[in-house]
């Protein structure tokens, strides 16, 4: 009789404990994949353990003793489940850890076998020169990434942003992978422009980004004409996910270039840096996609880097030289001046010539005729707002007073 009560308590406790643990495990598995858990485990394992002992274990104990009779045999049977579960857990952990180590080692060996040593080199034996059409996948604005730099530094004649063919229904059946699409379609194109076009006050000719990084005298011209792409160089990086290889490096940098001729596409260069598996060693020197593109084209021009080396006075001169060549965006000029690596900028003083030039930039960027045309009484305050805030923040009171209108 006592043995039956013991077994009855044991199986009741096992049913309650196992049911709750199975529910928690299923819930966790549904919320997060195994690969995601491996990546995030260093950050979440502590809270998970605390939550298990502070929340799950008390619930198991309360529900277990709520379902059994209070005879001593059933109580002992219920309690006997816990050391059995603990032993089973540690046994499972031991087997799982051994299998996981074996899996990781197998993944590392597979990654090593699939890794071409050229992917780790930071050189390209035969640079292809200036690219006539550079195809990119991503946001259709040429304001970030390699798009504006490729145009400003002359690495590409135009940049084509890929998109879906006209009339495409963007549902789960749409294959958004340029490496698997038979015909690539261009959604927008951008070119570097100079001259009168850059003086036009329209959204087709963009100046903000190039002036923000210190490039004056040119602008970026946008076209919304859509067409099938038949001759271009496509550059993809890890941000798209399409560039990943089977057994490729993980958690690092990947850039690859593909030549497009008609409906034929083949890879011509690739750089990689990352881990051989999520728990494997890192290989390869980290890099940016723009470094890959410079090496691919053999370009030595780096206008953005050169503009970043200038002093405040030199930056004012560079921006002033852009007057008459391109319209001036006061907000962009302010951002460029704010990024000057000056120490103790409050003590910075400007000679009369630089004061005059900086004021001339604002007058050019916020013309009175625009205020009159807009009929907005707050236009001038809004246009000059970033400039006024910059002057008050950057300079001492005397210099700021000389720069104010």
């Amino acid at each position: 009789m006592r043995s039956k009560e013991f077994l009855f308590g044991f199986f009741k406790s096992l049913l309650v404990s196992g049911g709750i643990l199975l529910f928690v495990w299923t819930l966790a598995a549904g919320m997060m994949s195994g690969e995601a858990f491996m990546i995030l485990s260093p950050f979440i394992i502590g809270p998970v353990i605390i939550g298990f002992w502070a929340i799950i274990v008390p619930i198991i104990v309360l529900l277990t003793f709520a379902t059994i009779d209070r005879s001593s045999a059933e109580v002992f049977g219920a309690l006997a489940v816990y050391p059995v579960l603990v032993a089973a857990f540690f046994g499972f952990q031991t087997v799982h850890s051994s299998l996981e180590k074996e899996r990781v080692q197998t993944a590392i060996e597979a990654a090593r076998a699939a890794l071409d040593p050229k992917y780790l080199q930071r050189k390209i034996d035969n640079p292809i020169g200036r690219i006539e059409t550079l195809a990119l996948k991503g946001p259709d604005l040429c304001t970030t990434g390699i798009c504006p730099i490729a145009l400003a530094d002359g690495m590409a004649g135009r940049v084509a942003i890929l998109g879906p063919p006209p009339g495409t229904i963007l549902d789960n059946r749409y294959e958004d992978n340029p490496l698997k699409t038979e015909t690539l379609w261009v959604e927008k194109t951008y070119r570097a422009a100079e001259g009168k076009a850059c003086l036009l006050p329209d959204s087709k000719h963009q100046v903000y980004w190039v002036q923000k990084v210190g490039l004056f005298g040119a602008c970026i011209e946008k076209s919304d004409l859509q067409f099938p792409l038949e001759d271009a160089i496509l550059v993809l990086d890890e941000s798209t996910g399409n560039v990943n290889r089977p057994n490729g490096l993980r958690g690092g940098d990947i850039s690859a270039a593909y030549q497009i001729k008609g409906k034929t596409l083949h890879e011509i260069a690739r750089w990689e840096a990352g881990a051989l598996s999520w728990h494997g060693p890192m290989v390869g020197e980290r890099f940016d996609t723009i470094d890959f593109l410079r090496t691919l084209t053999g370009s030595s021009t780096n206008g953005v880097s050169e503009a970043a080396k200038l002093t405040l006075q030199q930056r004012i001169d560079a921006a002033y030289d852009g007057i008459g060549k391109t319209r001036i965006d006061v907000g962009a000029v302010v951002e460029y001046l704010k990024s000057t690596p000056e120490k103790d900028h409050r003590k910075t003083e400007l000679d009369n010539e630089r004061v005059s030039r900086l004021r001339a930039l604002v007058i050019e960027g916020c013309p009175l005729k625009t205020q009159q045309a807009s009929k907005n009484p707050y236009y001038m305050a809004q246009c000059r707002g970033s400039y006024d805030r910059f002057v008050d923040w950057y300079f001492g009171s005397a210099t700021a007073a000389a720069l104010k209108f």
Side-chain angles (χ1 to χ4, degrees), residues 194-227:
E194 295 180 347
K196 293 182 179 179
C198 295
L199 294 169
L200 298 174
D202 57 33
S203 59
K204 181 180 177 182
H205 297 88
Q206 305 169 4
V207 300
Y208 180 82
W209 186 90
V210 289
Q211 293 183 7
K212 178 183 175 182
V213 295
L215 304 178
F216 298 89
C219 61
I220 295 177
E221 183 180 80
K222 180 181 72 171
S223 171
D224 294 324
L225 179 66
Q226 294 181 307
F227 58 91

Short mmCIF file of all heavy atoms in Angstrom, two decimals, residues 194-227:
data_model
loop_
_atom_site.label_atom_id
_atom_site.label_comp_id
_atom_site.label_asym_id
_atom_site.label_seq_id
_atom_site.Cartn_x
_atom_site.Cartn_y
_atom_site.Cartn_z
N GLU A 194 27.74 68.16 -62.59
CA GLU A 194 28.40 69.44 -62.32
C GLU A 194 27.75 70.52 -63.16
O GLU A 194 26.95 70.25 -64.06
CB GLU A 194 29.90 69.34 -62.67
CG GLU A 194 30.69 68.37 -61.80
CD GLU A 194 32.16 68.34 -62.19
OE1 GLU A 194 32.50 68.87 -63.28
OE2 GLU A 194 32.97 67.78 -61.43
N GLY A 195 28.10 71.76 -62.85
CA GLY A 195 27.63 72.87 -63.67
C GLY A 195 26.25 73.35 -63.29
O GLY A 195 25.82 73.25 -62.14
N LYS A 196 25.52 73.88 -64.29
CA LYS A 196 24.24 74.54 -64.04
C LYS A 196 23.22 73.62 -63.39
O LYS A 196 22.35 74.08 -62.64
CB LYS A 196 23.68 75.08 -65.35
CG LYS A 196 24.51 76.22 -65.95
CD LYS A 196 23.87 76.75 -67.22
CE LYS A 196 24.69 77.90 -67.81
NZ LYS A 196 24.08 78.41 -69.06
N ALA A 197 23.30 72.33 -63.70
CA ALA A 197 22.32 71.40 -63.12
C ALA A 197 22.35 71.42 -61.60
O ALA A 197 21.32 71.29 -60.94
CB ALA A 197 22.59 69.99 -63.63
N CYS A 198 23.54 71.61 -61.03
CA CYS A 198 23.68 71.59 -59.57
C CYS A 198 23.19 72.87 -58.91
O CYS A 198 23.14 72.97 -57.68
CB CYS A 198 25.14 71.34 -59.19
SG CYS A 198 25.75 69.72 -59.69
N LEU A 199 22.86 73.86 -59.72
CA LEU A 199 22.33 75.12 -59.18
C LEU A 199 20.81 75.12 -59.16
O LEU A 199 20.20 76.02 -58.58
CB LEU A 199 22.83 76.30 -60.02
CG LEU A 199 24.34 76.56 -59.96
CD1 LEU A 199 24.74 77.57 -61.03
CD2 LEU A 199 24.75 77.06 -58.58
N LEU A 200 20.20 74.10 -59.76
CA LEU A 200 18.74 74.04 -59.83
C LEU A 200 18.15 73.68 -58.47
O LEU A 200 18.59 72.73 -57.83
CB LEU A 200 18.31 73.02 -60.88
CG LEU A 200 18.75 73.29 -62.33
CD1 LEU A 200 18.37 72.13 -63.22
CD2 LEU A 200 18.13 74.58 -62.83
N PRO A 201 17.13 74.41 -58.03
CA PRO A 201 16.52 74.13 -56.71
C PRO A 201 15.45 73.06 -56.81
O PRO A 201 14.27 73.31 -56.58
CB PRO A 201 15.93 75.49 -56.33
CG PRO A 201 15.54 76.09 -57.65
CD PRO A 201 16.57 75.62 -58.65
N ASP A 202 15.83 71.84 -57.21
CA ASP A 202 14.85 70.77 -57.32
C ASP A 202 15.35 69.52 -56.61
O ASP A 202 16.53 69.41 -56.25
CB ASP A 202 14.54 70.45 -58.79
CG ASP A 202 15.79 70.07 -59.59
OD1 ASP A 202 16.70 69.45 -59.01
OD2 ASP A 202 15.86 70.40 -60.78
N SER A 203 14.45 68.58 -56.40
CA SER A 203 14.80 67.36 -55.67
C SER A 203 15.53 66.36 -56.55
O SER A 203 16.05 65.36 -56.05
CB SER A 203 13.52 66.70 -55.12
OG SER A 203 12.63 66.38 -56.18
N LYS A 204 15.60 66.63 -57.85
CA LYS A 204 16.28 65.72 -58.76
C LYS A 204 17.80 65.79 -58.57
O LYS A 204 18.51 64.82 -58.81
CB LYS A 204 15.91 66.05 -60.21
CG LYS A 204 16.54 65.16 -61.25
CD LYS A 204 16.12 65.55 -62.66
CE LYS A 204 16.81 64.71 -63.70
NZ LYS A 204 16.43 65.11 -65.08
N HIS A 205 18.29 66.95 -58.16
CA HIS A 205 19.73 67.15 -57.98
C HIS A 205 20.03 67.33 -56.49
O HIS A 205 19.63 68.33 -55.89
CB HIS A 205 20.20 68.36 -58.79
CG HIS A 205 20.01 68.19 -60.26
ND1 HIS A 205 18.83 68.53 -60.90
CD2 HIS A 205 20.83 67.66 -61.22
CE1 HIS A 205 18.94 68.25 -62.19
NE2 HIS A 205 20.13 67.72 -62.41
N GLN A 206 20.71 66.37 -55.91
CA GLN A 206 20.93 66.33 -54.46
C GLN A 206 22.33 66.85 -54.11
O GLN A 206 23.31 66.46 -54.75
CB GLN A 206 20.77 64.89 -53.96
CG GLN A 206 19.44 64.27 -54.33
CD GLN A 206 19.39 62.78 -54.06
OE1 GLN A 206 20.33 62.20 -53.53
NE2 GLN A 206 18.29 62.14 -54.43
N VAL A 207 22.38 67.70 -53.09
CA VAL A 207 23.68 68.25 -52.67
C VAL A 207 23.99 67.97 -51.21
O VAL A 207 25.14 68.09 -50.77
CB VAL A 207 23.76 69.77 -52.92
CG1 VAL A 207 23.58 70.09 -54.38
CG2 VAL A 207 22.72 70.52 -52.07
N TYR A 208 22.96 67.61 -50.43
CA TYR A 208 23.16 67.53 -48.98
C TYR A 208 24.28 66.57 -48.60
O TYR A 208 25.19 66.92 -47.85
CB TYR A 208 21.86 67.12 -48.29
CG TYR A 208 22.02 67.02 -46.78
CD1 TYR A 208 21.95 68.15 -45.98
CD2 TYR A 208 22.27 65.79 -46.17
CE1 TYR A 208 22.12 68.07 -44.61
CE2 TYR A 208 22.45 65.71 -44.80
CZ TYR A 208 22.37 66.85 -44.02
OH TYR A 208 22.56 66.77 -42.67
N TRP A 209 24.22 65.33 -49.11
CA TRP A 209 25.20 64.35 -48.64
C TRP A 209 26.62 64.73 -49.02
O TRP A 209 27.53 64.67 -48.21
CB TRP A 209 24.90 62.95 -49.18
CG TRP A 209 25.84 61.95 -48.58
CD1 TRP A 209 25.65 61.23 -47.43
CD2 TRP A 209 27.15 61.63 -49.02
NE1 TRP A 209 26.75 60.47 -47.15
CE2 TRP A 209 27.70 60.70 -48.10
CE3 TRP A 209 27.93 62.02 -50.10
CZ2 TRP A 209 28.97 60.16 -48.24
CZ3 TRP A 209 29.20 61.49 -50.24
CH2 TRP A 209 29.71 60.57 -49.32
N VAL A 210 26.83 65.16 -50.28
CA VAL A 210 28.19 65.45 -50.72
C VAL A 210 28.77 66.65 -49.96
O VAL A 210 29.95 66.68 -49.63
CB VAL A 210 28.25 65.68 -52.25
CG1 VAL A 210 28.04 64.39 -52.98
CG2 VAL A 210 27.24 66.72 -52.70
N GLN A 211 27.93 67.65 -49.66
CA GLN A 211 28.43 68.80 -48.92
C GLN A 211 28.62 68.48 -47.44
O GLN A 211 29.51 69.04 -46.79
CB GLN A 211 27.47 69.98 -49.10
CG GLN A 211 27.45 70.49 -50.53
CD GLN A 211 26.56 71.71 -50.72
OE1 GLN A 211 26.05 72.28 -49.77
NE2 GLN A 211 26.37 72.11 -51.98
N LYS A 212 27.83 67.56 -46.94
CA LYS A 212 27.97 67.16 -45.53
C LYS A 212 29.34 66.55 -45.25
O LYS A 212 29.88 66.68 -44.15
CB LYS A 212 26.86 66.16 -45.18
CG LYS A 212 26.92 65.64 -43.75
CD LYS A 212 25.83 64.61 -43.53
CE LYS A 212 25.96 63.98 -42.14
NZ LYS A 212 24.94 62.94 -41.91
N VAL A 213 29.93 65.90 -46.24
CA VAL A 213 31.25 65.28 -46.06
C VAL A 213 32.37 66.12 -46.68
O VAL A 213 33.51 65.67 -46.77
CB VAL A 213 31.29 63.85 -46.64
CG1 VAL A 213 30.34 62.94 -45.87
CG2 VAL A 213 30.95 63.85 -48.12
N GLY A 214 32.02 67.34 -47.13
CA GLY A 214 33.06 68.27 -47.57
C GLY A 214 33.35 68.29 -49.05
O GLY A 214 34.43 68.77 -49.45
N LEU A 215 32.44 67.80 -49.87
CA LEU A 215 32.65 67.81 -51.32
C LEU A 215 31.74 68.87 -51.94
O LEU A 215 30.51 68.75 -51.89
CB LEU A 215 32.36 66.43 -51.91
CG LEU A 215 33.16 65.28 -51.30
CD1 LEU A 215 32.75 63.95 -51.92
CD2 LEU A 215 34.66 65.50 -51.46
N PHE A 216 32.34 69.91 -52.51
CA PHE A 216 31.59 71.03 -53.06
C PHE A 216 31.90 71.15 -54.55
O PHE A 216 32.97 70.80 -55.02
CB PHE A 216 31.93 72.32 -52.33
CG PHE A 216 31.58 72.29 -50.87
CD1 PHE A 216 32.49 71.82 -49.94
CD2 PHE A 216 30.34 72.69 -50.44
CE1 PHE A 216 32.17 71.76 -48.59
CE2 PHE A 216 30.00 72.65 -49.09
CZ PHE A 216 30.92 72.17 -48.16
N GLY A 217 30.96 71.68 -55.31
CA GLY A 217 31.15 71.85 -56.74
C GLY A 217 30.52 70.77 -57.57
O GLY A 217 30.61 70.79 -58.79
N ALA A 218 29.86 69.79 -56.93
CA ALA A 218 29.20 68.71 -57.67
C ALA A 218 27.91 68.34 -56.94
O ALA A 218 27.67 68.75 -55.80
CB ALA A 218 30.11 67.50 -57.79
N CYS A 219 27.07 67.59 -57.61
CA CYS A 219 25.84 67.13 -56.99
C CYS A 219 25.52 65.73 -57.53
O CYS A 219 26.22 65.22 -58.41
CB CYS A 219 24.67 68.09 -57.29
SG CYS A 219 24.29 68.27 -59.05
N ILE A 220 24.48 65.12 -57.01
CA ILE A 220 24.06 63.78 -57.45
C ILE A 220 22.70 63.91 -58.12
O ILE A 220 21.74 64.40 -57.52
CB ILE A 220 24.00 62.80 -56.26
CG1 ILE A 220 25.40 62.60 -55.69
CG2 ILE A 220 23.41 61.47 -56.69
CD1 ILE A 220 25.45 61.72 -54.48
N GLU A 221 22.64 63.47 -59.37
CA GLU A 221 21.43 63.58 -60.17
C GLU A 221 20.67 62.26 -60.15
O GLU A 221 21.23 61.20 -60.41
CB GLU A 221 21.80 63.95 -61.61
CG GLU A 221 20.61 64.15 -62.53
CD GLU A 221 21.06 64.51 -63.94
OE1 GLU A 221 21.45 63.57 -64.67
OE2 GLU A 221 21.06 65.70 -64.28
N LYS A 222 19.38 62.35 -59.87
CA LYS A 222 18.54 61.15 -59.74
C LYS A 222 17.64 60.98 -60.96
O LYS A 222 17.14 61.96 -61.51
CB LYS A 222 17.68 61.25 -58.48
CG LYS A 222 16.76 60.06 -58.24
CD LYS A 222 15.92 60.23 -57.00
CE LYS A 222 14.84 61.27 -57.19
NZ LYS A 222 13.88 61.32 -56.08
N SER A 223 17.42 59.72 -61.36
CA SER A 223 16.46 59.40 -62.41
C SER A 223 15.57 58.27 -61.93
O SER A 223 16.05 57.29 -61.34
CB SER A 223 17.19 58.98 -63.69
OG SER A 223 16.26 58.47 -64.64
N ASP A 224 14.26 58.39 -62.18
CA ASP A 224 13.29 57.36 -61.78
C ASP A 224 12.96 56.41 -62.92
O ASP A 224 12.03 55.61 -62.81
CB ASP A 224 12.01 58.02 -61.28
CG ASP A 224 12.23 58.80 -60.00
OD1 ASP A 224 13.03 58.36 -59.18
OD2 ASP A 224 11.60 59.87 -59.83
N LEU A 225 13.68 56.49 -64.02
CA LEU A 225 13.42 55.62 -65.17
C LEU A 225 13.75 54.17 -64.82
O LEU A 225 14.85 53.86 -64.37
CB LEU A 225 14.25 56.07 -66.37
CG LEU A 225 14.09 55.24 -67.65
CD1 LEU A 225 12.67 55.38 -68.20
CD2 LEU A 225 15.13 55.66 -68.69
N GLN A 226 12.80 53.28 -65.03
CA GLN A 226 13.00 51.85 -64.77
C GLN A 226 13.35 51.12 -66.06
O GLN A 226 12.77 51.40 -67.12
CB GLN A 226 11.75 51.24 -64.14
CG GLN A 226 11.42 51.79 -62.76
CD GLN A 226 10.19 51.14 -62.17
OE1 GLN A 226 9.13 51.11 -62.78
NE2 GLN A 226 10.33 50.60 -60.98
N PHE A 227 14.28 50.18 -65.98
CA PHE A 227 14.67 49.43 -67.17
C PHE A 227 15.38 48.14 -66.75
O PHE A 227 15.92 48.05 -65.64
CB PHE A 227 15.60 50.27 -68.05
CG PHE A 227 16.85 50.74 -67.38
CD1 PHE A 227 18.02 49.98 -67.41
CD2 PHE A 227 16.87 51.95 -66.69
CE1 PHE A 227 19.18 50.41 -66.78
CE2 PHE A 227 18.02 52.39 -66.05
CZ PHE A 227 19.18 51.63 -66.10
#
